[in-house]
Amino acid sequence: MNDLLEIDIVIEAKWIIPIEPAEITLNQHAIAVDKGIIKAILPISEARLRYKPQQTITLNDHALIPGLINLHTHAAMTLMRGFSDDLPLMEWLNKHIWPIENQHVDSQFVLDGTQLACAEMIKGGITCFNDMYFFPESCAEAAIHAGMRAAIGMIVIDFPTAYASDADDYLAKGLKLRDQYHQHPLLSFCFAPHAPYTVSDKTFSSILTYAEQLNTPIHTHLHESQDEIRINLESNGVRPIERLHQLGLLSPSLIAVHMVHLTDYEIKLVHQYGCSVVHCPSSNMKLASGFAPISALLNQGVNVGLGTDGAASNNRLDMFEEMRQAALLAKATSGQADVLPAHQALRMATLNGANALGLGEITGSLAVGKAADITAINFSDLNLTPCYDPASHLVYTASREQVSHVWVNGRMLLDDKELTTLNPFELQYRTAYWQERIATTSR
């Protein structure tokens, strides 16, 4: 007994799906965690002979997967969930969302809205999110409080808001925030120019200079709708991707969100420059933006991750829903039932997202030396039986309601479906306040 290695946690489970190696499911295995890092993945019987953990968690009916990565969201917009539904993108933005934001969005709005989003995401097995919104300092504060991993978007738009007066002001504030939290173990940063129709060539060029100097990704909406493409053709004479190409923004640092309307040439261009794409199937369908050509992108070898978008345009921050929708839509639009199988959908929701953010060495798969960002799913419900392939069930059958435990950096954020870092009653109180305030001013 004296030879046993003392560590923090051993998590025993019926199945472990590590993502790497690909398409592997481990039966009756355990994950050994110490100081937030995965030390070993090994059969339960061997773990009991090797380790003396401070805590052993036995999950006899569960699958362990890497924490899900929401590669694109506007977390604080949970406070506008369901506010203005069933409208096309440009009408939704111009006549409803932007006016409400002008009236209400401040640092407290973003703090409260992001905390609400963090609670929803944790309960849905999400351990990391890539955000784009105003007052990113409040997003960072909320993520730290919740214990989540977050890529904080340094948002830039070429018009004034309550957050900043002009593009230079947006950039200065974002860079100051990055300097403040640059060494934080759970935070990373992306430049987040909103979209080609709200950001000028001059501003894109400034962002590119900073991004190259700081080795920081650029996260932007791109080719989301036909209106966006039409606006860019009228104002610049080229389609948005070609414009970014001419400006030098196409590179492995670009995280292009939506990418619904693409030509074959544009798909090859994205692959040629190593860009990552974020597929947001639910938001694209709800806003009638269209169906992204995911099978064609995957066939070209493009790195594709998954995002929920904001709760104002999706209404759910639910990565299980996005995995299922992505897999089904890829089959329906390509006419090929073998396109985007379950293991590939899981990889899109985990490791592909981490790689897009430059975090693939830290998170995105369950591997020795990586952070213990882990999600447990309970398979004991009748609707998950029988189970011949746990990976298939996770994509096609399971829902976020089956998520039981979540760890980030070895810290438990969800314990048998109970939040450990956030108070649901406080969140409900703050949400009710904002609901009344928004409803009153929009009457």
Side-chain angles (χ1 to χ4, degrees):
M1 293 293 290
N2 293 333
D3 294 334
L4 295 179
L5 295 175
E6 295 187 2
I7 60 171
D8 294 334
I9 311 167
V10 168
I11 309 167
E12 303 176 347
K14 186 172 185 178
W15 297 293
I16 296 176
I17 302 175
I19 302 300
E20 289 184 308
E23 300 186 23
I24 296 295
T25 298
L26 304 172
N27 296 301
Q28 297 299 321
H29 271 58
I31 301 178
V33 178
D34 194 53
K35 297 179 175 58
I37 302 298
I38 295 173
K39 296 298 182 182
I41 300 174
L42 68 176
I44 291 172
S45 57
E46 292 183 24
R48 291 175 178 176
L49 293 174
R50 185 183 301 184
Y51 295 108
K52 182 182 178 182
Q54 293 184 16
Q55 183 183 25
T56 298
I57 299 168
T58 301
L59 302 173
N60 291 324
D61 299 309
H62 298 63
L64 301 181
I65 62 172
L68 300 171
I69 295 177
N70 186 353
L71 193 52
H72 173 69
T73 193
H74 314 282
M77 294 182 80
T78 49
L79 293 177
M80 290 181 269
R81 190 198 319 267
F83 167 74
S84 186
D85 286 332
D86 307 320
L87 295 168
L89 175 63
M90 290 305 178
E91 180 181 349
W92 177 76
L93 281 173
N94 286 301
K95 295 184 179 180
H96 301 272
I97 296 302
W98 285 344
I100 284 294
E101 288 179 333
N102 287 335
Q103 286 181 282
H104 296 289
V105 173
D106 58 17
S107 60
Q108 190 63 48
F109 178 101
V110 175
L111 179 63
D112 292 343
T114 305
Q115 286 190 336
L116 178 63
C118 286
E120 180 179 358
M121 288 192 282
I122 291 168
K123 289 175 72 70
I126 297 167
T127 56
C128 175
F129 65 101
N130 183 26
D131 199 59
M132 177 195 286
Y133 208 59
F134 308 107
F135 300 95
E137 66 276 9
S138 292
C139 177
E141 181 182 346
I144 291 169
H145 179 70
M148 291 188 74
R149 198 176 298 281
I152 306 299
M154 297 180 283
I155 191 166
V156 185
I157 297 180
D158 268 310
F159 56 77
T161 63
Y163 171 60
S165 58
D166 57 25
D168 290 338
D169 193 23
Y170 284 98
L171 279 168
K173 288 177 175 175
L175 291 167
K176 181 180 178 181
L177 180 67
R178 178 192 174 276
D179 290 344
Q180 179 183 349
Y181 286 112
H182 184 53
Q183 298 300 322
H184 196 283
L186 295 181
L187 299 185
S188 61
F189 288 84
C190 294
F191 287 98
H194 172 259
Y197 56 89
T198 56
V199 177
S200 68
D201 286 1
K202 178 177 180 291
T203 300
F204 270 127
S205 295
S206 295
I207 289 168
L208 177 61
T209 299
Y210 283 119
E212 290 178 339
Q213 290 174 348
L214 300 173
N215 192 27
T216 301
I218 299 173
H219 168 211
T220 190
H221 299 99
L222 192 60
H223 281 230
E224 181 176 3
S225 70
Q226 292 285 15
D227 280 340
E228 173 198 332
I229 294 169
R230 175 185 55 77
I231 291 167
N232 211 87
L233 282 167
E234 291 173 354
S235 58
N236 295 279
V238 294
R239 288 162 65 89
I241 287 179
E242 182 58 32
R243 178 175 157 219
L244 295 193
H245 182 209
Q246 292 174 3
L247 292 170
L249 269 82
L250 299 192
S251 79
S253 295
L254 183 66
I255 303 172
V257 184
H258 298 299
M259 299 290 271
V260 175
H261 304 283
L262 300 173
T263 65
D264 290 343
Y265 165 74
E266 288 164 345
I267 292 171
K268 291 177 181 176
L269 201 62
V270 168
H271 170 253
Q272 177 185 342
Y273 284 92
C275 310
S276 290
V277 167
V278 190
H279 184 29
C280 303
S282 295
S283 177
N284 291 342
M285 287 190 288
K286 186 167 183 286
L287 292 169
S289 297
F291 305 112
I294 297 304
S295 61
L297 288 163
L298 294 173
N299 286 340
Q300 282 288 326
V302 175
N303 182 57
V304 180
L306 293 176
T308 63
D309 212 339
S313 65
N314 177 337
N315 301 54
R316 300 162 66 96
L317 305 181
D318 184 349
M319 286 291 287
F320 282 86
E321 181 78 5
E322 302 309 321
M323 282 194 290
R324 187 170 192 271
Q325 297 280 21
L328 297 182
L329 281 173
K331 300 173 196 307
T333 55
S334 68
Q336 297 174 281
D338 57 352
V339 167
L340 192 43
H343 274 281
Q344 191 171 20
L346 277 170
R347 185 184 176 96
M348 287 168 63
T350 53
L351 187 58
N352 287 11
N355 287 337
L357 294 169
L359 300 176
E361 297 298 314
I362 297 172
T363 189
S365 63
L366 301 177
V368 173
K370 284 196 173 186
D373 295 355
I374 305 167
T375 290
I377 301 94
N378 190 338
F379 274 65
S380 64
D381 287 358
L382 285 176
N383 64 300
L384 289 176
T385 58
C387 181
Y388 304 105
D389 180 353
S392 171
H393 267 18
L394 287 171
V395 173
Y396 297 120
T397 311
S399 69
R400 61 182 178 178
E401 282 71 30
Q402 272 97 33
V403 172
S404 61
H405 298 73
V406 171
W407 294 264
V408 173
N409 243 21
R411 181 188 184 191
M412 186 185 286
L413 308 187
L414 190 71
D415 183 2
D416 199 16
K417 297 191 175 184
E418 295 296 324
L419 294 165
T420 65
T421 58
L422 295 168
N423 186 323
F425 299 105
E426 290 181 7
L427 294 174
Q428 288 174 337
Y429 173 79
R430 295 302 303 166
T431 301
Y433 163 79
W434 286 108
Q435 179 180 346
E436 177 61 25
R437 183 168 162 179
I438 291 170
T440 298
T441 56
S442 62
R443 285 169 189 158

